[in-house]
Amino acid sequence: MEKVRFGRTELMVTKVAFGGIPIQRLTTEQAVKVVRGVLDLGVNFIDTANGYTTSEERIGMAIKGVNRDSIVIATKSGAKDKKTFLENLDLSLKRLGVDYIDIYQHHGISSEESYAQIMGEEGAFEGMMEAVQSGKVRFPAFSSHSIPLSLKIMKENHFDVIQLPFNYVDDTAAEEAIPLAKQLDMGFIAMKPFGGGLLSNARLSMKYLSQFDNIVPDPGIEKLSEMQEIVSILSEPVGFTVEEAAAIEREKLELGDSWCHRCDYCQPCPQSIGISGVLTVESMIKRVPPDRAVSMSSENMDKARSCIECGVCMTRCPYNLNIPKLLKERVSFWDKYIAELS
């Protein structure tokens, strides 16, 4: 499979990465088989996270015996302090069965407060720098859902790689973040290229992303057939037919009024509802095992029932979403999901 230069890291990576969230839903044997199958297709870039339960461990089993220099591994820690960060890093190394991680990311920096903690005294970034100096990490990176904060962090030039949500509906990164990454020669991982499972047309999704020559999408893969289809699409010429372009525009119009970008500008909610968690619950359900979905979301979904429709969130949402209406819809969806599990 064709490889591309991944920014100033100088790593040569395939034009698509393997996203490690969905293999949590499989048995260990199934997960290992999927990862090995993806590697056999020629994909050499794997992206996961410390917080994805069994994902790192299963990837570690799958890559055992594989030439370490032939694969690029990215993973993440959500720790804000140095001590926990270094503990997470050592756990990632142990689970993956490797001596170093190519790209290690501060996971989900989406507020000024969390960024200040990470960059402060005894913060996680001190741990990152220590890990780079010791050779446990090759390239420091971060992921986020906030475009404005990401632009600020990118300009401070502490990191070699950024990961942001990007697909043909959630396309805000195309305006400034992707051009800035190109200008700074940063590697760019396109998170949620299928909208966390909400975009079902792989051809439209991948052909849209193929227009951007400095990004690498990392779709979450649960079945080998999914990556086989993606690899096949990426072998096609770049560009859309008139019909494909029209289909994208139709879907953007249909989904635009309900698509939560997880920027959290709507917060704080007077009722303490984690709004973005409620609005993206369908995506989460499609990516994690049912028992984890329930443990992660039950409390917040119950809080969503307390919405008093004050409208404060709507005045803050930059995408003009009718949040109270969407909260009701997601609670109804959740109730049906729980009933089906019973």
Side-chain angles (χ1 to χ4, degrees):
M1 189 178 178
E2 182 184 352
K3 294 183 178 67
V4 293
R5 176 182 171 274
F6 196 55
R8 63 190 185 222
T9 70
E10 297 291 347
L11 295 167
M12 296 302 293
V13 301
T14 44
K15 295 172 75 173
V16 64
F18 169 86
I21 293 181
I23 59 170
Q24 300 172 91
R25 298 165 61 92
L26 306 176
T27 67
T28 298
E29 184 180 358
Q30 289 170 335
V32 169
K33 187 175 181 180
V34 167
V35 177
R36 286 179 177 165
V38 168
L39 294 174
D40 288 342
L41 287 171
V43 175
N44 77 335
F45 195 179
I46 295 173
D47 179 55
T48 185
N50 176 280
Y52 299 162
T53 63
T54 57
S55 181
E56 286 183 331
E57 214 164 27
R58 292 171 170 189
I59 290 167
M61 294 177 191
I63 64 174
K64 190 174 182 179
V66 175
N67 179 357
R68 178 65 184 89
D69 294 337
S70 70
I71 52 176
V72 173
I73 298 174
T75 189
K76 314 175 189 74
S77 165
K80 304 294 187 294
D81 64 283
K82 177 180 177 179
K83 180 177 181 293
T84 308
F85 177 89
L86 291 174
E87 289 172 351
N88 286 354
L89 172 59
D90 285 340
L91 182 58
S92 290
L93 291 166
K94 180 181 178 182
R95 286 171 168 174
L96 291 161
V98 296
D99 297 324
Y100 66 90
I101 290 165
D102 297 286
I103 297 165
Y104 204 57
Q105 302 160 75
H106 293 296
H107 195 170
I109 308 180
S110 295
S111 73
E112 293 278 2
E113 293 75 18
S114 63
Y115 182 54
Q117 284 180 282
I118 287 167
M119 301 304 293
E121 186 176 352
E122 290 298 308
F125 186 70
E126 285 190 11
M128 179 75 84
M129 291 297 93
E130 186 175 300
V132 170
Q133 289 166 9
S134 68
K136 290 182 178 180
V137 170
R138 294 183 67 192
F139 302 104
F142 75 98
S143 70
S144 178
H145 286 85
S146 170
I147 299 288
L149 179 57
S150 295
L151 293 171
K152 172 189 171 180
I153 296 172
M154 292 167 76
K155 290 171 185 174
E156 292 181 1
N157 219 21
H158 297 301
F159 302 101
D160 296 315
V161 177
I162 180 174
Q163 181 166 186
L164 284 171
F166 186 54
N167 54 66
Y168 62 76
V169 175
D170 194 353
D171 59 358
T172 314
E175 296 170 15
E176 293 184 74
I178 291 175
L180 181 59
K182 191 165 191 174
Q183 178 186 328
L184 297 173
D185 201 21
M186 293 179 70
F188 188 106
I189 302 172
M191 183 199 310
K192 296 181 176 62
F194 295 161
L198 300 180
L199 303 177
S200 58
N201 191 317
R203 173 161 271 98
L204 292 184
S205 296
M206 297 310 298
K207 291 189 80 171
Y208 173 80
L209 295 171
S210 293
Q211 300 175 102
F212 302 87
D213 62 5
N214 66 314
I215 72 168
V216 175
D218 71 334
I221 298 298
E222 186 171 356
K223 301 174 182 175
L224 181 58
S225 59
E226 294 167 344
M227 187 59 87
Q228 288 170 331
E229 181 182 12
I230 290 167
V231 169
S232 174
I233 294 165
L234 289 175
S235 68
E236 299 175 8
V238 176
F240 300 113
T241 64
V242 173
E243 293 78 10
E244 287 169 338
I248 284 177
E249 290 306 312
R250 281 197 304 272
E251 196 157 12
K252 286 178 71 171
L253 286 172
E254 289 169 7
L255 295 174
D257 291 339
S258 62
W259 193 281
C260 175
H261 296 249
R262 292 184 63 183
C263 64
D264 284 333
Y265 291 149
C266 56
Q267 297 290 1
C269 167
Q271 300 300 109
S272 299
I273 300 167
I275 293 170
S276 63
V278 175
L279 298 192
T280 59
V281 72
E282 183 177 352
S283 168
M284 186 269 296
I285 283 169
K286 291 184 175 183
R287 294 179 294 135
V288 305
D291 58 341
R292 187 156 189 248
V294 172
S295 67
M296 288 172 63
S297 298
S298 288
E299 183 178 353
N300 197 34
M301 296 307 296
D302 285 340
K303 277 187 181 178
R305 303 177 198 279
S306 69
C307 174
I308 58 174
E309 301 186 37
C310 64
V312 172
C313 54
M314 292 177 64
T315 66
R316 298 172 179 156
C317 178
Y319 302 99
N320 300 312
L321 300 183
N322 187 337
I323 294 173
K325 174 176 176 285
L326 293 173
L327 290 174
K328 285 183 179 179
E329 291 176 359
R330 298 304 189 272
V331 168
S332 177
F333 168 84
W334 177 258
D335 288 343
K336 290 176 184 175
Y337 173 72
I338 294 298
E340 288 171 1
L341 290 180
S342 303

